Amino acid sequence: MTLLERRQIQRVVDMALDEDAPFGDLTSQTLVPVTAVARADLVAREPGVLAGADVFEIAMTTLDPSVEVTRHAADGDAFERGAVLAHVEGPARAVLQAERVALNLVQRMTGIATLTRAYVEAVAGTGARVVDTRKTTPGLRALERHAVRCGGGHNHRYSLSDAVMAKDNHLAVIPDLTAALRQAKADLPHTTHIEVEVDRLDQLDAVLAAEAAGTIMLDNFSLDDLRAGVARIGGQALVEASGGITLDTIGDVAATGVDVISVGALTHSVRALDLGLDITVS
């Protein structure tokens, strides 16, 4: 499902815990007995699709490894309101200090997975692939992209280092696009993917003439122009649709015959899902 590794999670968790309590949790250290034990359930306040089970557990156990987390759901599982997704038990001070960081991360990731699942279901049966973009929260890209996969979506290039992707601002400073693409294909390893974004149908000829692009992105095209673009490309490259895609429009976009639909909203403006940690202390 993912290439997300523990070291990536741990780096984010350590940073977040340090940000939240740079000199310790003054409230818990002052008011909560050192011997107190907390028992807590991670409870869904609304239905959704889980993402971030590993992240939640690592956040809850980093401060004190004696804290135990029992999972009742796995990443990618759908759940209803009231579902208990995990149980936590351990020293109360550690549980209380980690609570907000653990919730912030799992709520955001689960919100992304839930929204992604809705987009994926909206294109079911069309063959179109729903993918994310680089419009992620700085520092959280690995977690957010994992969440997209938990929802059934796919990932675009991970970073600027992964593929050649000529966008509108690149094209604005390239005097001869066909020649530039041919040269790129000649210079790059055969394993390097080349994608070119166009925002008008009349730009397609220059891209196709180079015979270099593995993917052509049709950005902010009307449905009629998407259909025309798919026909003009004619299988010479994968066709990606992008720009202002919503749940209301993605089904119609998929029906034009595009191969990939990229949706920035999966990560850049998603709402965190409402999950709560119900704690009792003894």
Side-chain angles (χ1 to χ4, degrees):
M1 179 181 291
T2 180
L3 297 178
L4 185 62
E5 299 176 355
R6 183 183 178 96
R7 63 181 178 82
Q8 295 171 305
I9 301 172
Q10 194 69 61
R11 183 168 59 243
V12 171
V13 167
D14 288 344
M15 178 185 66
L17 288 171
D18 183 62
E19 175 184 64
D20 204 38
F23 308 109
D25 176 2
L26 186 60
T27 305
S28 295
Q29 291 169 353
T30 302
L31 301 176
V32 178
V34 69
T35 56
V37 174
R39 296 172 181 83
D41 288 327
L42 178 64
V43 180
R45 309 290 194 221
E46 58 182 317
V49 176
L50 181 63
D54 283 345
V55 177
F56 178 79
E57 180 169 346
I58 290 171
M60 292 304 308
T61 58
T62 290
L63 294 171
D64 189 332
S66 69
V67 174
E68 296 182 356
V69 176
T70 303
R71 305 183 194 186
H72 299 306
D75 281 0
D77 285 352
F79 55 82
E80 298 300 323
R81 181 178 183 273
V84 177
L85 305 175
H87 178 77
V88 180
E89 188 165 335
R93 287 186 177 185
V95 172
L96 290 166
Q97 184 171 332
E99 173 188 7
R100 178 43 51 199
V101 165
L103 281 176
N104 283 350
L105 293 173
V106 75
Q107 284 180 305
R108 179 163 182 79
M109 293 178 70
T110 299
I112 291 170
T114 302
L115 182 61
T116 301
R117 180 69 55 85
Y119 274 90
V120 170
E121 290 176 347
V123 303
T126 67
R129 170 179 286 200
V130 176
V131 306
D132 54 22
T133 72
R134 285 172 42 247
K135 296 175 182 177
T136 53
T137 307
L140 298 183
R141 180 169 295 173
L143 274 60
E144 293 181 347
R145 291 205 145 168
H146 169 74
V148 167
R149 295 187 66 83
C150 291
H154 293 78
N155 300 139
H156 213 291
R157 60 173 177 163
Y158 187 81
S159 72
L160 291 172
S161 303
D162 295 338
V164 172
M165 186 171 174
K167 298 175 70 66
D168 54 352
N169 287 338
H170 297 104
L171 270 55
V173 297
I174 298 173
D176 186 335
L177 179 59
T178 301
L181 290 173
R182 285 175 177 164
Q183 190 63 52
K185 183 178 180 180
D187 292 343
L188 291 166
H190 71 281
T191 54
T192 302
H193 192 82
I194 298 175
E195 178 167 357
V196 181
E197 171 190 298
V198 300
D199 52 25
R200 303 188 316 273
L201 284 169
D202 61 15
Q203 294 174 308
L204 283 175
D205 287 344
V207 178
L208 293 171
E211 298 182 341
T215 302
I216 299 175
M217 177 194 291
L218 308 181
D219 188 46
N220 284 299
F221 274 43
S222 68
L223 294 175
D224 286 342
D225 282 353
L226 282 174
R227 282 187 282 268
V230 169
R232 175 69 185 88
I233 294 166
Q236 297 176 71
L238 292 173
V239 182
E240 177 179 341
S242 184
I245 309 293
T246 69
L247 276 173
D248 292 331
T249 63
I250 193 170
D252 291 334
V253 171
T256 65
V258 299
D259 302 294
V260 178
I261 304 173
S262 52
V263 184
L266 297 181
T267 55
H268 74 56
S269 56
V270 69
R271 178 182 67 83
L273 206 79
D274 191 3
L275 307 175
L277 196 65
D278 295 342
I279 296 179
T280 59
V281 177
S282 59

Short mmCIF file of all heavy atoms in Angstrom, two decimals, residues 144-178:
data_model
loop_
_atom_site.label_atom_id
_atom_site.label_comp_id
_atom_site.label_asym_id
_atom_site.label_seq_id
_atom_site.Cartn_x
_atom_site.Cartn_y
_atom_site.Cartn_z
N GLU A 144 0.89 12.19 4.12
CA GLU A 144 -0.31 12.53 3.36
C GLU A 144 -0.45 11.66 2.12
O GLU A 144 -1.56 11.26 1.75
CB GLU A 144 -0.28 14.02 3.01
CG GLU A 144 -0.40 14.89 4.25
CD GLU A 144 -0.41 16.38 3.98
OE1 GLU A 144 -0.08 16.79 2.85
OE2 GLU A 144 -0.75 17.15 4.90
N ARG A 145 0.65 11.34 1.49
CA ARG A 145 0.57 10.49 0.30
C ARG A 145 0.24 9.05 0.69
O ARG A 145 -0.43 8.34 -0.06
CB ARG A 145 1.87 10.57 -0.48
CG ARG A 145 2.03 11.95 -1.11
CD ARG A 145 2.91 11.92 -2.30
NE ARG A 145 2.43 12.88 -3.28
CZ ARG A 145 3.14 13.25 -4.35
NH1 ARG A 145 4.32 12.72 -4.56
NH2 ARG A 145 2.64 14.11 -5.20
N HIS A 146 0.70 8.61 1.84
CA HIS A 146 0.27 7.30 2.34
C HIS A 146 -1.24 7.30 2.54
O HIS A 146 -1.93 6.33 2.20
CB HIS A 146 0.98 6.99 3.66
CG HIS A 146 0.42 5.81 4.37
ND1 HIS A 146 0.63 4.51 3.96
CD2 HIS A 146 -0.37 5.72 5.48
CE1 HIS A 146 0.01 3.67 4.77
NE2 HIS A 146 -0.61 4.38 5.70
N ALA A 147 -1.77 8.38 3.08
CA ALA A 147 -3.21 8.47 3.32
C ALA A 147 -4.00 8.39 2.02
O ALA A 147 -5.08 7.78 1.96
CB ALA A 147 -3.54 9.76 4.07
N VAL A 148 -3.48 9.01 0.95
CA VAL A 148 -4.15 8.91 -0.35
C VAL A 148 -4.25 7.46 -0.79
O VAL A 148 -5.30 6.99 -1.26
CB VAL A 148 -3.38 9.74 -1.40
CG1 VAL A 148 -3.86 9.42 -2.82
CG2 VAL A 148 -3.56 11.24 -1.13
N ARG A 149 -3.19 6.70 -0.61
CA ARG A 149 -3.21 5.29 -0.99
C ARG A 149 -4.16 4.49 -0.11
O ARG A 149 -4.80 3.54 -0.57
CB ARG A 149 -1.80 4.71 -0.96
CG ARG A 149 -0.89 5.35 -2.00
CD ARG A 149 0.47 4.67 -2.08
NE ARG A 149 0.37 3.30 -2.57
CZ ARG A 149 0.31 2.96 -3.85
NH1 ARG A 149 0.32 3.91 -4.78
NH2 ARG A 149 0.26 1.71 -4.20
N CYS A 150 -4.27 4.86 1.15
CA CYS A 150 -5.23 4.19 2.04
C CYS A 150 -6.66 4.37 1.54
O CYS A 150 -7.51 3.50 1.74
CB CYS A 150 -5.12 4.73 3.47
SG CYS A 150 -3.60 4.28 4.30
N GLY A 151 -6.92 5.50 0.89
CA GLY A 151 -8.25 5.77 0.35
C GLY A 151 -8.48 5.16 -1.02
O GLY A 151 -9.56 5.33 -1.60
N GLY A 152 -7.47 4.47 -1.57
CA GLY A 152 -7.62 3.84 -2.87
C GLY A 152 -7.07 4.65 -4.02
O GLY A 152 -7.17 4.23 -5.18
N GLY A 153 -6.48 5.82 -3.73
CA GLY A 153 -5.88 6.63 -4.77
C GLY A 153 -4.45 6.22 -5.05
O GLY A 153 -3.93 5.26 -4.46
N HIS A 154 -3.81 6.95 -5.96
CA HIS A 154 -2.43 6.68 -6.33
C HIS A 154 -1.62 7.97 -6.16
O HIS A 154 -2.18 9.06 -6.01
CB HIS A 154 -2.33 6.20 -7.78
CG HIS A 154 -2.95 4.86 -8.00
ND1 HIS A 154 -4.32 4.66 -8.10
CD2 HIS A 154 -2.40 3.62 -8.12
CE1 HIS A 154 -4.58 3.38 -8.29
NE2 HIS A 154 -3.43 2.73 -8.30
N ASN A 155 -0.31 7.82 -6.20
CA ASN A 155 0.58 8.95 -6.03
C ASN A 155 1.16 9.42 -7.35
O ASN A 155 1.50 8.62 -8.21
CB ASN A 155 1.73 8.60 -5.08
CG ASN A 155 1.27 8.18 -3.70
OD1 ASN A 155 1.81 7.24 -3.13
ND2 ASN A 155 0.27 8.86 -3.16
N HIS A 156 1.29 10.74 -7.49
CA HIS A 156 1.99 11.35 -8.61
C HIS A 156 3.49 11.27 -8.28
O HIS A 156 3.89 10.60 -7.33
CB HIS A 156 1.51 12.80 -8.76
CG HIS A 156 1.50 13.29 -10.17
ND1 HIS A 156 2.65 13.52 -10.87
CD2 HIS A 156 0.47 13.60 -11.01
CE1 HIS A 156 2.35 13.95 -12.09
NE2 HIS A 156 1.03 14.01 -12.21
N ARG A 157 4.32 11.98 -9.03
CA ARG A 157 5.75 12.00 -8.69
C ARG A 157 5.90 12.51 -7.26
O ARG A 157 5.16 13.40 -6.81
CB ARG A 157 6.53 12.88 -9.66
CG ARG A 157 6.08 14.33 -9.68
CD ARG A 157 6.97 15.20 -10.53
NE ARG A 157 6.42 16.56 -10.56
CZ ARG A 157 7.10 17.64 -10.94
NH1 ARG A 157 8.35 17.52 -11.30
NH2 ARG A 157 6.53 18.83 -10.95
N TYR A 158 6.86 11.95 -6.54
CA TYR A 158 7.02 12.30 -5.13
C TYR A 158 7.65 13.68 -4.97
O TYR A 158 7.29 14.44 -4.08
CB TYR A 158 7.88 11.26 -4.41
CG TYR A 158 7.93 11.48 -2.92
CD1 TYR A 158 6.89 11.05 -2.10
CD2 TYR A 158 8.99 12.15 -2.34
CE1 TYR A 158 6.92 11.28 -0.75
CE2 TYR A 158 9.03 12.38 -0.99
CZ TYR A 158 7.99 11.94 -0.18
OH TYR A 158 8.01 12.18 1.17
N SER A 159 8.59 14.02 -5.84
CA SER A 159 9.32 15.28 -5.69
C SER A 159 9.80 15.76 -7.05
O SER A 159 9.63 15.08 -8.07
CB SER A 159 10.52 15.09 -4.75
OG SER A 159 11.53 14.33 -5.41
N LEU A 160 10.41 16.92 -7.06
CA LEU A 160 10.97 17.48 -8.29
C LEU A 160 12.10 16.62 -8.85
O LEU A 160 12.46 16.76 -10.03
CB LEU A 160 11.51 18.89 -8.02
CG LEU A 160 10.46 19.97 -7.71
CD1 LEU A 160 11.16 21.25 -7.28
CD2 LEU A 160 9.56 20.23 -8.90
N SER A 161 12.64 15.74 -8.04
CA SER A 161 13.77 14.91 -8.47
C SER A 161 13.35 13.62 -9.15
O SER A 161 14.22 12.88 -9.64
CB SER A 161 14.64 14.57 -7.24
OG SER A 161 15.09 15.73 -6.59
N ASP A 162 12.07 13.32 -9.19
CA ASP A 162 11.63 12.00 -9.63
C ASP A 162 11.35 11.88 -11.12
O ASP A 162 11.38 10.78 -11.66
CB ASP A 162 10.35 11.61 -8.87
CG ASP A 162 10.60 11.43 -7.39
OD1 ASP A 162 11.76 11.20 -7.02
OD2 ASP A 162 9.64 11.53 -6.61
N ALA A 163 10.99 12.96 -11.77
CA ALA A 163 10.62 12.90 -13.17
C ALA A 163 10.73 14.29 -13.78
O ALA A 163 10.75 15.29 -13.07
CB ALA A 163 9.18 12.37 -13.33
N VAL A 164 10.79 14.33 -15.12
CA VAL A 164 10.71 15.60 -15.83
C VAL A 164 9.24 15.94 -16.00
O VAL A 164 8.47 15.12 -16.51
CB VAL A 164 11.40 15.52 -17.20
CG1 VAL A 164 11.14 16.78 -18.01
CG2 VAL A 164 12.90 15.29 -17.02
N MET A 165 8.85 17.12 -15.55
CA MET A 165 7.45 17.54 -15.71
C MET A 165 7.45 19.01 -16.11
O MET A 165 7.62 19.90 -15.27
CB MET A 165 6.65 17.32 -14.44
CG MET A 165 5.17 17.61 -14.61
SD MET A 165 4.22 17.08 -13.17
CE MET A 165 2.60 17.71 -13.62
N ALA A 166 7.26 19.26 -17.39
CA ALA A 166 7.29 20.62 -17.91
C ALA A 166 5.90 21.24 -17.78
O ALA A 166 4.96 20.82 -18.45
CB ALA A 166 7.73 20.61 -19.37
N LYS A 167 5.79 22.23 -16.90
CA LYS A 167 4.51 22.90 -16.66
C LYS A 167 4.47 24.23 -17.40
O LYS A 167 5.42 24.61 -18.08
CB LYS A 167 4.29 23.06 -15.16
CG LYS A 167 4.22 21.71 -14.42
CD LYS A 167 4.12 21.87 -12.93
CE LYS A 167 2.79 22.44 -12.49
NZ LYS A 167 1.66 21.52 -12.74
N ASP A 168 3.37 24.96 -17.23
CA ASP A 168 3.18 26.19 -18.01
C ASP A 168 4.30 27.20 -17.82
O ASP A 168 4.74 27.86 -18.77
CB ASP A 168 1.82 26.82 -17.67
CG ASP A 168 1.62 27.06 -16.18
OD1 ASP A 168 2.46 26.61 -15.37
OD2 ASP A 168 0.60 27.70 -15.82
N ASN A 169 4.81 27.32 -16.59
CA ASN A 169 5.88 28.29 -16.36
C ASN A 169 7.20 27.85 -16.99
O ASN A 169 8.05 28.69 -17.31
CB ASN A 169 6.08 28.52 -14.86
CG ASN A 169 4.95 29.35 -14.27
OD1 ASN A 169 4.27 30.08 -15.00
ND2 ASN A 169 4.74 29.25 -12.98
N HIS A 170 7.39 26.54 -17.15
CA HIS A 170 8.56 26.07 -17.88
C HIS A 170 8.40 26.39 -19.37
O HIS A 170 9.31 26.90 -20.03
CB HIS A 170 8.75 24.56 -17.70
CG HIS A 170 9.01 24.13 -16.31
ND1 HIS A 170 8.06 23.54 -15.52
CD2 HIS A 170 10.13 24.21 -15.53
CE1 HIS A 170 8.57 23.26 -14.34
NE2 HIS A 170 9.82 23.66 -14.32
N LEU A 171 7.21 26.08 -19.90
CA LEU A 171 6.96 26.28 -21.32
C LEU A 171 7.12 27.75 -21.72
O LEU A 171 7.51 28.07 -22.85
CB LEU A 171 5.57 25.78 -21.71
CG LEU A 171 5.47 24.31 -22.15
CD1 LEU A 171 6.02 23.35 -21.11
CD2 LEU A 171 4.02 23.94 -22.47
N ALA A 172 6.82 28.64 -20.77
CA ALA A 172 6.89 30.08 -21.06
C ALA A 172 8.31 30.54 -21.37
O ALA A 172 8.51 31.58 -22.02
CB ALA A 172 6.33 30.87 -19.89
N VAL A 173 9.31 29.78 -20.92
CA VAL A 173 10.70 30.20 -21.13
C VAL A 173 11.46 29.23 -22.04
O VAL A 173 12.69 29.32 -22.16
CB VAL A 173 11.44 30.35 -19.78
CG1 VAL A 173 10.81 31.44 -18.95
CG2 VAL A 173 11.45 29.03 -19.00
N ILE A 174 10.75 28.30 -22.69
CA ILE A 174 11.37 27.37 -23.63
C ILE A 174 11.05 27.83 -25.05
O ILE A 174 9.89 27.79 -25.47
CB ILE A 174 10.87 25.93 -23.41
CG1 ILE A 174 11.23 25.44 -22.01
CG2 ILE A 174 11.46 24.99 -24.47
CD1 ILE A 174 10.62 24.08 -21.66
N PRO A 175 12.04 28.27 -25.82
CA PRO A 175 11.75 28.83 -27.15
C PRO A 175 11.27 27.80 -28.16
O PRO A 175 10.44 28.10 -29.02
CB PRO A 175 13.10 29.44 -27.58
CG PRO A 175 14.12 28.73 -26.76
CD PRO A 175 13.47 28.40 -25.46
N ASP A 176 11.78 26.57 -28.09
CA ASP A 176 11.40 25.53 -29.04
C ASP A 176 11.10 24.26 -28.25
O ASP A 176 12.02 23.50 -27.90
CB ASP A 176 12.52 25.29 -30.06
CG ASP A 176 12.13 24.31 -31.16
OD1 ASP A 176 11.24 23.46 -30.93
OD2 ASP A 176 12.73 24.38 -32.25
N LEU A 177 9.82 24.03 -27.94
CA LEU A 177 9.44 22.92 -27.06
C LEU A 177 9.78 21.58 -27.69
O LEU A 177 10.30 20.69 -27.00
CB LEU A 177 7.95 23.00 -26.75
CG LEU A 177 7.40 21.89 -25.85
CD1 LEU A 177 8.13 21.87 -24.51
CD2 LEU A 177 5.90 22.06 -25.64
N THR A 178 9.51 21.41 -28.96
CA THR A 178 9.79 20.13 -29.61
C THR A 178 11.27 19.79 -29.52
O THR A 178 11.66 18.66 -29.15
CB THR A 178 9.35 20.16 -31.09
OG1 THR A 178 7.95 20.45 -31.15
CG2 THR A 178 9.62 18.82 -31.76
#
